[in-house]
Amino acid sequence: TQLLEQSPQFLSIQEGENLTVYCNSSSVFSSLQWYRQEPGEGPVLLVTVVTGGEVKKLKRLTFQFGDARKDSSLHITAAQPGDTGLYLCAGVPYSGGSNYKLTFGKGTLLTVNP
Amino acid sequence: DSGVTQTPKHLITATGQRVTLRCSPRSGDLSVYWYQQSLDQGLQFLIQYYNGEERAKGNILERFSAQQFPDLHSELNLSSLELGDSALYFCASSAPGQGKYEQFFGPGTRLTVL
């Protein structure tokens, strides 16, 4: 079983549409991160959310951390073709120890058509 | 540009062979992480080094090994290569002592085993 479940797996939309992708778990996380990866490139860190209920905005992207720190969402307003890519959520489960194994979801592959 | 460098960018080799992938972390980062990314498995954590010492192990095969040198660069050695080892291999680094577990990824090495 995957510790972080991302949905949807694939999303194809038209330019100008809004969308939300989800990252869910049954585990509590110290923090969650969102990365975007373009084909053949390394993931690029977009944002880190740390506090339950936290909302962060990055231009047209809005990230939210669930109150219980078990889930997160990414909302994109007025999507642009440049938003196309694989969106990955990642986090370290809160264990009270020094476990630094960052676990990644399988990602949401977003295609924004012009 | 994340500041993490990886060489080579592409590597094509035959089954049974051995290859070495190289990574230089961002200036000041003490931790280096290695990941394997394939289409069906997503991004899988392999191993972490912190200031020259192994810190955490993930799904790393016994045929694979890694080390971090005094200048903090790291090498991932893959031996007795199989067709299934074909994948993108990423290195990431992070700053010491920060609790957000943010990692910065290099551009990756695409390994093709024929």
Side-chain angles (χ1 to χ4, degrees), chain B residues 26-96:
Chain B
R26 295 186 316 162
S27 176
D29 286 358
L30 300 183
S31 281
V32 168
Y33 310 79
W34 286 99
Y35 292 87
Q36 179 191 59
Q37 187 178 41
S38 58
L39 283 174
D40 56 340
Q41 292 293 322
L43 202 60
Q44 297 287 315
F45 168 72
L46 295 178
I47 197 164
Q48 177 203 355
Y49 278 82
Y50 177 83
N51 202 20
E53 294 189 3
E54 183 183 303
R55 174 63 67 92
K57 257 186 175 179
N59 303 319
I60 188 166
L61 299 172
E62 285 194 11
R63 300 183 286 108
F64 296 179
S65 64
Q67 53 184 329
Q68 187 179 27
F69 295 87
D71 67 352
L72 301 177
H73 91 271
S74 178
E75 292 181 356
L76 179 67
N77 300 295
L78 314 177
S79 61
S80 302
L81 285 168
E82 302 175 0
L83 295 178
D85 298 327
S86 295
L88 274 166
Y89 290 85
F90 290 103
C91 164
S93 72
S94 66

Side-chain angles (χ1 to χ4, degrees), chain A residues 29-109:
Chain A
F29 286 84
S30 305
S31 63
L32 272 179
Q33 300 154 25
W34 284 92
Y35 293 80
R36 184 172 74 204
Q37 183 179 19
E38 299 189 18
E41 303 291 330
V44 175
L45 180 64
L46 297 174
V47 78
T48 300
V49 286
V50 179
T51 307
E54 181 176 5
V55 176
K56 280 193 173 179
K57 292 194 174 185
L58 185 66
K59 296 185 181 177
R60 295 174 292 100
L61 278 61
T62 302
F63 304 86
Q64 185 161 8
F65 201 11
D67 290 341
R69 288 159 51 209
K70 293 183 179 181
D71 53 82
S72 181
S73 63
L74 158 59
H75 181 79
I76 301 180
T77 304
Q80 304 291 314
D83 296 327
T84 293
L86 179 67
Y87 288 82
L88 296 159
C89 68
V92 176
Y94 180 76
S95 63
S98 59
N99 179 356
Y100 301 110
K101 294 183 193 177
L102 191 63
T103 298
F104 282 81
K106 288 201 170 184
T108 292
L109 185 60

